[in-house]
Amino acid sequence: LSLKKVSSHSVLAFPHCPCYSRLRNYADQIVYVLDFCENCAMLARVFKNWNAYHLYAFLIIAFATMFRIVLSVLQWPATESDEATYNLMALHIWKNGALPIFMYGGNYLGAIEAYIGSVLFRVFGPSVLVMRIEIAGMFALFLLGLYLLTYRAYTPRFALITIAFLAPGTELMIHRQVAATGGNAEINVFGVFVLLISFILAMGKVAKGWQRA
């Protein structure tokens, strides 16, 4: 900081010097380099204090999510009737203001995916890919919740092993984690976060006045 002040004041002291513009450029470059070094030092401190396990977990979850999005872009797996039904429900919610509670023709599956998909349709336009990106996002939330749960209940290393084991998945698992067929993606998210909240309540990590689970 002192060097920046010295460099700027020394140049401004001689505004009529023939080399003023060149010296001014040099001073600006020095200030820019000093600012860059300060930012690098700040970033290094952040990474030094950052939990390495969280960083590895972020990379695993990002890889698993992008892998499923790439499969969706490559149109794998092929669209089936259940996925088409949820796309139609999302389109009806967006365009016609429909308020379905259950899947069309199946009163055992909810319509959460369709409601979320209707919002994405409004923003990005209707397509199978948009619905599949939604499902990939739900899978990312599932991995995040599972990591936080195992991180708290067991050890950070076991939490990483758990999500790393589930990130690739088998062919059947990936099929259910990519296609918007209803009931597969959201139930995993709700289930793992219910367990996480229950564990936090049981450990007493809540505000005073809440009963322990």
Side-chain angles (χ1 to χ4, degrees):
L1 292 176
S2 60
L3 181 57
K4 287 192 289 185
K5 291 181 179 180
V6 170
S7 61
S8 61
H9 286 303
S10 61
V11 173
L12 292 176
F14 303 98
H16 301 293
C17 179
C19 301
Y20 171 76
S21 59
R22 182 175 297 180
L23 293 174
R24 181 64 182 176
N25 292 333
Y26 288 155
D28 292 339
Q29 292 176 6
I30 293 174
V31 172
Y32 176 80
V33 171
L34 291 174
D35 290 337
F36 178 77
C37 293
E38 289 177 0
N39 294 331
C40 290
M42 184 181 300
L43 186 63
R45 287 193 295 268
V46 170
F47 277 106
K48 183 178 180 180
N49 297 328
W50 180 260
N51 191 328
Y53 289 104
H54 294 345
L55 179 60
Y56 295 148
F58 171 78
L59 294 177
I60 292 173
I61 295 173
F63 166 77
T65 306
M66 290 304 301
F67 175 63
R68 283 152 179 81
I69 292 176
V70 170
L71 291 177
S72 301
V73 173
L74 297 176
Q75 299 181 357
W76 188 93
T79 305
E80 57 185 43
S81 59
D82 288 345
E83 187 174 23
T85 301
Y86 271 93
N87 279 267
L88 184 62
M89 291 170 61
L91 189 63
H92 287 173
I93 295 171
W94 172 39
K95 287 291 187 180
N96 303 332
L99 299 174
I101 299 177
F102 299 105
M103 173 186 176
Y104 292 165
N107 57 1
Y108 54 91
L109 290 174
I112 295 178
E113 293 180 15
Y115 281 100
I116 299 176
S118 66
V119 177
L120 298 178
F121 280 4
R122 181 184 296 273
V123 177
F124 301 105
S127 70
V128 175
L129 178 60
V130 170
M131 287 289 288
R132 292 191 173 186
I133 292 176
E134 170 199 344
I135 304 303
M138 287 188 178
F139 178 70
L141 287 176
F142 164 70
L143 287 183
L144 175 61
L146 186 62
Y147 170 75
L148 295 176
L149 176 62
T150 51
Y151 186 91
R152 287 174 173 269
Y154 300 99
T155 62
R157 182 173 298 179
F158 183 70
L160 280 181
I161 294 174
T162 302
I163 62 173
F165 179 76
L166 295 177
T170 63
E171 181 179 353
L172 179 60
M173 291 172 60
I174 295 177
H175 184 281
R176 296 180 180 275
Q177 295 162 357
V178 171
T181 55
N184 296 314
E186 63 268 30
I187 196 171
N188 292 331
V189 175
F190 291 147
V192 73
F193 276 98
V194 164
L195 291 174
L196 177 60
I197 294 172
S198 300
F199 179 80
I200 294 174
L201 291 172
M203 296 301 293
K205 304 291 186 179
V206 292
K208 187 177 179 180
W210 283 65
Q211 291 183 352
R212 294 187 179 184

